[in-house]
Amino acid sequence: MIKLAIDGMGGDFAPEPIVKGSIEALNKYDNIEIILFGDQEKMAPYLIEHDRLKVIHTESYLDMGVENPVFEFRNNKEHSLFKAMQYVKDGHADAVVTAGPTQAVVVGGQLILKKMKKMKRVAIAPIIPSYDRQGKLMLDSGANVDLEAEHILDLAIYASIVAEEVLKRNKPKVALINIGEEEGKGRALDREAYELLKNNKNINFVGNIEPKEVFTHEADVLVTDGFTGNIVMKSMEGTAKGLGMILEREIKSKLRNKIGYLFMKPALKNFKKSLDASEIGGALVIGLNHTLIKAHGSSNDFAFYNAIRQAKEMVEKDVINKVSKILNEEEWLNERIFKNIKHSI
Amino acid sequence: MIKLAIDGMGGDFAPEPIVKGSIEALNKYDNIEIILFGDQEKMAPYLIEHDRLKVIHTESYLDMGVENPVFEFRNNKEHSLFKAMQYVKDGHADAVVTAGPTQAVVVGGQLILKKMKKMKRVAIAPIIPSYDRQGKLMLDSGANVDLEAEHILDLAIYASIVAEEVLKRNKPKVALINIGEEEGKGRALDREAYELLKNNKNINFVGNIEPKEVFTHEADVLVTDGFTGNIVMKSMEGTAKGLGMILEREIKSKLRNKIGYLFMKPALKNFKKSLDASEIGGALVIGLNHTLIKAHGSSNDFAFYNAIRQAKEMVEKDVINKVSKILNEEEWLNERIFKNIKHSI
């Protein structure tokens, strides 16, 4: 039985979509057990009796606009998010799922679940939409403002395993986000990361990708530092939002457009759906000792259900142990190379 | 009379749209004279007799895929782009307009037109679309992989003057592209740039902008380093292209959508138009001693006409001298502050 600790109070519309999404997941998968952390009274209207659903009441929960999660953590470990994390840390469950505030999720992950011994950084890896409807993992999307080339390599190895095991890609293709396709493009960081990625046997590196190909490129995993990844994510979000607004303005401007809109409504709805993160799931917070999924703050039932599904698959496929094993080998390999170099000097 | 040196052979479809756009501009503005540089024979089919149009034949021109423009410059100064630049440098004309390859335009600008004495870097500043149809200047969009905070400040001052004089904005609002709105967000570079921008009397700084607001934010000028600016531009381009493809797939998927499409065609055309760079003009290459406009490589007649209009306005409004004057004052001010600091130590 896979046990999932769920933060019942995280998210813009919590607890309703969280509880409903959890029940949906319980009905769909009979190998999961869900433990909901949160305000029992607030969750009550949506709860049902279920033999694989348990509720643990918490006195408090984090505000979605929380500004200093480190301070919150130091002063109150009773917040629903932190309690769910501690429950997993203590070995009572296998993974945490939350739609809570990103920064607090990353901070809590590092302070409670703790970084994997071999991972130097934690990263956020959402699945971004693509033309082929498959989605791509993009990381780091904002956990680290600065990253070094070797951190990007670690992230690429981790994400490759996730892409293979959870997204079911065969030899997942990894690309480095950059301002040009050719080798040698970009900042010193990008050139260093290119070298490391190219020479690593654990990943299938296909070179640089310019973000103008972000919807259509063949890669399964896109890697970059957390500043750049965040800028790409937010540029995509801003462009999609802006284009949607412009399209709406055009449609409303004339009667004939409105008539056309009635015909095209299902197409436009599908169009919107294909951009919708809820179809794919949440972002993985990777680099920790336990599986942690951060669903979008504005998640509806279905989006949250999908985030739970991701957590379940991460645990089923034993992703964390697989990553840990490869990173251990990497280190062993690097040490050996290093010794040989020293020896030859 | 404003004299404009035009690279007749730059651009994916040159010389046709270049010559046609030039003639359009001549017909529209009677205070400009155009000197077209390029292959006389290739341009001939589109040329007309005009008392303010002059053609200077050049034996060669740059390929749009040129990989080493510095090498080209050293070996052949007869390329149409370089000849047009030299013509301006020698004082025979006031500005250069080209749809040639970006890197060659920047390199030629630096080697022939030369950097303005007080500008430490050259930058590319396209006008990006916005919901209010006004457009915003965004820079640097890719001339420099690395920039320092003081370079970003210089760019902000320059772009503010362009926004005021050419885009007719009153007290143009300048924003710093960043991963969060609050002061203190971003990399060390962003925090330093924020400080400099906030404390400068020559610009109307409104704080950080996240790229998710790129279509809707009130700012007239968006500044960042050339790596980030290029990533934002290409993410916008990729998202717009990807969404367009998805929308097309949806429309084609069912008959009712196709019917709807017939009704909505003008709206969708307007929609596409509002994203089209040709409606706004070319990118300014700023920081040089002379006005240089880089039109999009795929420019049609109208796009190129618009780039010419921009060049004309830059010259009319004497932007370069105005920038130069302010930067001179800046330097004087900085020196004085520096002396005072030294004195007080």
Side-chain angles (χ1 to χ4, degrees):
Chain A
M1 191 64 66
I2 294 167
K3 294 182 180 179
L4 304 171
I6 310 267
D7 169 17
M9 308 307 285
D12 301 333
F13 312 114
E16 184 174 348
I18 310 305
V19 178
K20 288 183 171 171
S22 298
I23 294 167
E24 207 172 322
L26 284 170
N27 291 335
K28 181 100 179 187
Y29 306 112
D30 53 17
N31 65 336
I32 64 169
E33 188 180 312
I34 283 179
I35 306 98
L36 266 170
F37 290 79
D39 187 316
Q40 207 152 12
E41 212 171 300
K42 288 203 167 108
M43 295 194 289
Y46 317 107
L47 285 169
I48 54 160
E49 282 289 327
H50 197 293
D51 58 347
R52 287 180 282 117
L53 176 63
K54 195 171 135 183
V55 173
I56 296 186
H57 178 74
T58 66
E59 283 299 322
S60 59
Y61 55 91
L62 289 164
D63 188 87
M64 285 304 282
V66 57
E67 288 195 354
N68 193 342
V70 177
F71 174 86
E72 289 293 330
F73 174 74
R74 289 204 180 119
N75 286 280
N76 185 354
K77 292 178 181 57
E78 298 301 307
H79 291 306
S80 58
L81 172 64
F82 298 147
K83 288 270 276 192
M85 287 175 166
Q86 191 61 50
Y87 194 78
V88 169
K89 170 72 181 170
D90 293 341
H92 305 309
D94 307 297
V96 183
V97 188
T98 176
T102 306
Q103 217 195 329
V105 174
V106 173
V107 164
Q110 300 201 51
L111 295 175
I112 304 171
L113 299 175
K114 299 271 182 352
K115 272 208 297 276
M116 206 181 258
K117 208 181 136 205
K118 306 293 171 189
M119 283 288 287
K120 284 166 209 89
R121 297 296 183 99
V122 167
I124 301 173
I127 299 172
I128 61 169
S130 62
Y131 185 68
D132 65 7
R133 300 187 174 97
Q134 302 287 303
K136 303 175 193 301
L137 271 172
M138 182 162 92
L139 67 170
D140 173 22
S141 295
N144 305 275
V145 167
D146 294 300
L147 277 182
E148 288 166 29
E150 58 178 306
H151 304 145
I152 292 177
L153 175 64
D154 286 349
L155 298 183
I157 293 171
Y158 197 131
S160 288
I161 297 170
V162 175
E164 182 134 18
E165 302 289 343
V166 180
L167 304 183
K168 287 127 190 149
R169 308 293 158 82
N170 184 28
K171 287 189 193 157
K173 297 184 181 80
V174 176
L176 179 67
I177 293 177
N178 207 335
I179 56 171
E181 280 184 13
E182 307 84 357
E183 186 169 353
K185 285 279 180 181
R187 306 159 297 180
L189 169 70
D190 309 306
R191 294 193 300 269
E192 276 170 48
Y194 191 103
E195 271 305 299
L196 291 181
L197 292 164
K198 194 177 74 171
N199 294 315
N200 192 288
K201 66 171 177 41
N202 286 309
I203 49 176
N204 178 14
F205 184 55
V206 296
N208 290 322
I209 170 184
E210 293 183 77
K212 65 183 178 187
E213 307 300 336
V214 73
F215 270 74
T216 48
H217 197 275
E218 54 167 4
D220 304 295
V221 174
L222 309 180
V223 289
T224 184
D225 65 280
F227 183 87
T228 306
N230 198 267
I231 290 286
V232 172
M233 284 292 293
K234 285 178 177 161
S235 298
M236 291 178 71
E237 190 181 338
T239 307
K241 193 180 78 175
L243 298 192
M245 286 169 65
I246 291 172
L247 187 58
E248 202 186 325
R249 181 172 66 193
E250 285 305 326
I251 289 169
K252 286 184 176 160
S253 70
K254 281 201 181 93
L255 180 63
R256 64 173 287 171
N257 297 332
K258 285 184 202 154
I259 295 169
Y261 173 70
L262 291 178
F263 279 98
M264 282 179 69
K265 214 170 168 183
L268 291 172
K269 219 171 157 182
N270 266 339
F271 171 63
K272 219 185 140 210
K273 207 169 146 190
S274 65
L275 305 178
D276 191 346
S278 67
E279 293 300 307
I280 301 174
L284 297 143
V285 182
I286 72 170
L288 302 167
N289 279 320
H290 304 271
T291 296
L292 170 58
I293 305 287
K294 156 75 179 102
H296 202 282
S298 63
S299 289
N300 58 17
D301 314 359
F302 186 61
F304 201 79
Y305 152 79
N306 263 314
I308 294 175
R309 178 185 50 76
Q310 273 183 307
K312 173 190 83 84
E313 287 178 8
M314 287 282 292
V315 176
E316 264 175 354
K317 301 301 171 85
D318 200 22
V319 170
I320 300 233
N321 281 327
K322 283 177 183 156
V323 171
S324 182
K325 192 163 161 272
I326 290 185
L327 290 181
N328 271 315
E329 282 166 13
E330 282 278 316
E331 192 171 58
W332 172 81
L333 202 73
N334 289 340
E335 269 167 16
R336 212 176 50 160
I337 292 167
F338 187 62
K339 266 179 203 155
N340 283 340
I341 291 169
K342 279 211 293 189
H343 189 74
S344 66
I345 294 167
Chain B
M1 192 64 66
I2 294 167
K3 294 183 179 177
L4 304 171
I6 310 268
D7 169 17
M9 308 306 286
D12 302 333
F13 312 114
E16 185 174 348
I18 311 304
V19 177
K20 287 183 172 172
S22 298
I23 293 168
E24 207 172 321
L26 283 171
N27 291 335
K28 181 98 178 188
Y29 305 113
D30 53 16
N31 66 336
I32 64 168
E33 189 180 312
I34 282 179
I35 307 96
L36 266 170
F37 290 78
D39 187 315
Q40 206 152 14
E41 211 170 303
K42 288 201 168 106
M43 295 195 289
Y46 317 106
L47 285 169
I48 55 161
E49 281 289 325
H50 198 294
D51 58 346
R52 286 180 284 118
L53 176 63
K54 196 171 134 182
V55 173
I56 295 184
H57 177 72
T58 66
E59 283 299 322
S60 58
Y61 54 91
L62 290 165
D63 187 87
M64 286 304 281
V66 58
E67 287 196 356
N68 192 342
V70 176
F71 174 86
E72 289 293 330
F73 174 74
R74 288 204 181 121
N75 285 281
N76 185 353
K77 292 177 182 60
E78 298 302 307
H79 291 307
S80 58
L81 172 64
F82 297 149
K83 289 270 276 192
M85 286 175 165
Q86 192 59 49
Y87 194 79
V88 169
K89 170 72 181 170
D90 293 342
H92 304 311
D94 306 298
V96 183
V97 187
T98 178
T102 306
Q103 217 195 329
V105 173
V106 173
V107 164
Q110 300 201 54
L111 295 176
I112 303 170
L113 299 174
K114 300 272 185 346
K115 274 208 297 274
M116 207 182 256
K117 207 179 136 205
K118 306 294 170 187
M119 283 288 285
K120 284 164 209 91
R121 297 294 184 101
V122 167
I124 302 174
I127 300 172
I128 61 169
S130 62
Y131 185 69
D132 64 7
R133 300 187 173 96
Q134 303 285 303
K136 304 175 192 301
L137 273 172
M138 183 163 90
L139 67 172
D140 173 23
S141 294
N144 307 273
V145 167
D146 293 301
L147 277 181
E148 288 167 29
E150 58 179 306
H151 304 145
I152 292 177
L153 175 64
D154 286 350
L155 298 182
I157 292 171
Y158 197 131
S160 288
I161 297 170
V162 175
E164 180 134 17
E165 301 289 343
V166 180
L167 305 182
K168 286 129 191 145
R169 309 292 159 83
N170 185 28
K171 287 190 193 157
K173 297 184 181 78
V174 176
L176 178 67
I177 293 176
N178 207 335
I179 55 170
E181 279 184 14
E182 308 83 357
E183 187 169 353
K185 285 280 180 180
R187 305 159 297 181
L189 170 70
D190 309 306
R191 293 193 300 269
E192 276 170 47
Y194 190 104
E195 271 305 299
L196 291 180
L197 292 164
K198 194 178 77 170
N199 294 315
N200 192 286
K201 66 173 178 39
N202 287 309
I203 50 175
N204 178 15
F205 183 56
V206 296
N208 290 322
I209 169 184
E210 292 183 77
K212 67 184 177 187
E213 306 300 334
V214 73
F215 269 74
T216 47
H217 196 274
E218 53 166 7
D220 304 295
V221 174
L222 310 180
V223 290
T224 185
D225 65 281
F227 183 87
T228 306
N230 197 267
I231 290 286
V232 172
M233 284 292 294
K234 285 177 176 160
S235 298
M236 290 178 70
E237 191 181 337
T239 308
K241 193 180 79 175
L243 297 192
M245 286 168 65
I246 291 171
L247 187 57
E248 204 185 324
R249 181 173 64 192
E250 285 305 325
I251 289 171
K252 285 184 176 159
S253 69
K254 282 204 181 91
L255 180 65
R256 64 174 286 172
N257 297 332
K258 285 184 202 153
I259 296 169
Y261 174 69
L262 291 178
F263 278 99
M264 280 177 72
K265 215 170 167 183
L268 291 173
K269 219 171 157 184
N270 266 339
F271 172 62
K272 218 183 140 214
K273 207 169 146 189
S274 65
L275 305 177
D276 191 347
S278 68
E279 293 299 307
I280 299 174
L284 296 143
V285 182
I286 72 171
L288 303 167
N289 281 320
H290 304 272
T291 296
L292 170 58
I293 306 288
K294 156 77 178 101
H296 202 282
S298 63
S299 289
N300 58 16
D301 314 358
F302 187 60
F304 201 79
Y305 152 79
N306 262 314
I308 294 175
R309 177 185 52 75
Q310 273 183 308
K312 173 191 84 83
E313 287 178 9
M314 287 283 290
V315 176
E316 264 174 353
K317 300 301 173 81
D318 200 21
V319 170
I320 300 233
N321 281 326
K322 282 177 184 157
V323 172
S324 179
K325 192 163 162 274
I326 290 184
L327 290 182
N328 271 314
E329 283 166 13
E330 284 277 317
E331 190 171 60
W332 172 83
L333 201 72
N334 289 343
E335 269 168 17
R336 213 174 49 158
I337 293 168
F338 188 63
K339 266 180 203 156
N340 283 340
I341 292 169
K342 280 213 293 190
H343 189 76
S344 66
I345 295 167

